Amino acid sequence: MALRLTKTHFELAGKWLPTAMTYGTGASLTFLYLTDWKVVLQYVPFYGSKFDEQS
């Protein structure tokens, strides 16, 4: 049985796209927060000051 993508499928996907992007962004930020990934988080304003090395 072949899966056919119709115009209706694309319309539904278009309606769900903003929601999927919001959840994806939230999941990514949660991952960065929980893993404390210094490579990326050092460039986040305010939070990045946590990684400043005192010389």
Side-chain angles (χ1 to χ4, degrees):
M1 182 155 125
L3 176 67
R4 294 185 182 181
L5 295 176
T6 63
K7 182 179 178 183
T8 306
H9 291 110
F10 289 107
E11 289 174 0
L12 286 172
K15 290 180 181 180
W16 281 97
L17 187 61
T19 303
M21 289 174 53
T22 302
Y23 277 105
T25 301
S28 299
L29 291 174
T30 301
F31 172 78
L32 290 174
Y33 177 77
L34 293 176
T35 59
D36 207 26
W37 196 24
K38 182 180 177 181
V39 175
V40 174
L41 290 177
Q42 66 184 345
Y43 299 110
V44 175
F46 301 109
Y47 192 78
S49 63
K50 172 181 171 180
F51 300 112
D52 288 342
E53 295 180 11
Q54 302 297 328
S55 298

